[in-house]
């Protein structure tokens, strides 16, 4: 099934873009325990220079300890760094 995170918040830079490093850390910290792994054992890659605009959608990629790549769909819930993240069901 899908894994969803809600009500999370990350930093916004002075140019109104999200702090991708902050988002990557937040996603790893929250998704890894749900998969039964240590956050230090996963890596997350999100696009740089993503504007902090409510409703913006983009995809990050989590790399599991075994090397599997897992997509993470992120939707910004406001322009202050709030976001929801969903791991879509795997085909």
């Amino acid at each position: 099934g899908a894994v969803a995170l809600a009500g999370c918040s990350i930093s916004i830079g002075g140019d109104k873009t999200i702090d991708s490093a902050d988002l990557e850390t937040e996603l790893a910290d929250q998704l890894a325990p749900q998969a039964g792994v240590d956050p230090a054992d996963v890596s997350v890659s999100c696009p740089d220079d993503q504007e902090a605009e409510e409703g913006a959608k983009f995809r990050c990629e989590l790399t599991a300890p075994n090397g599997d790549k897992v997509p993470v769909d992120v939707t910004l819930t406001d322009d202050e760094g709030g976001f929801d993240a969903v791991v879509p069901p795997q085909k």
Side-chain angles (χ1 to χ4, degrees):
V3 176
L5 307 176
C8 305
S9 186
I10 51 162
S11 340
I12 301 297
D15 54 358
K16 295 299 279 182
T17 59
I18 63 168
D19 181 333
S20 58
D22 189 24
L23 176 58
E24 290 162 0
T25 300
E26 187 77 23
L27 290 173
D29 287 349
Q30 294 191 29
L31 293 172
Q34 294 182 33
V37 296
D38 189 306
D41 293 336
V42 301
S43 65
V44 179
S45 175
C46 294
D48 291 328
D49 302 323
Q50 176 63 49
E51 285 195 35
E53 183 178 331
E54 183 176 352
K57 296 177 188 290
F58 54 94
R59 178 165 276 184
C60 298
E61 185 176 72
L62 181 145
T63 303
N66 65 0
D68 285 354
K69 307 269 189 212
V70 180
V72 182
D73 292 330
V74 177
T75 303
L76 299 182
T77 56
D78 58 40
D79 58 5
E80 301 297 321
F83 70 93
D84 291 335
V86 175
V87 176
Q90 300 297 301
K91 293 186 167 57

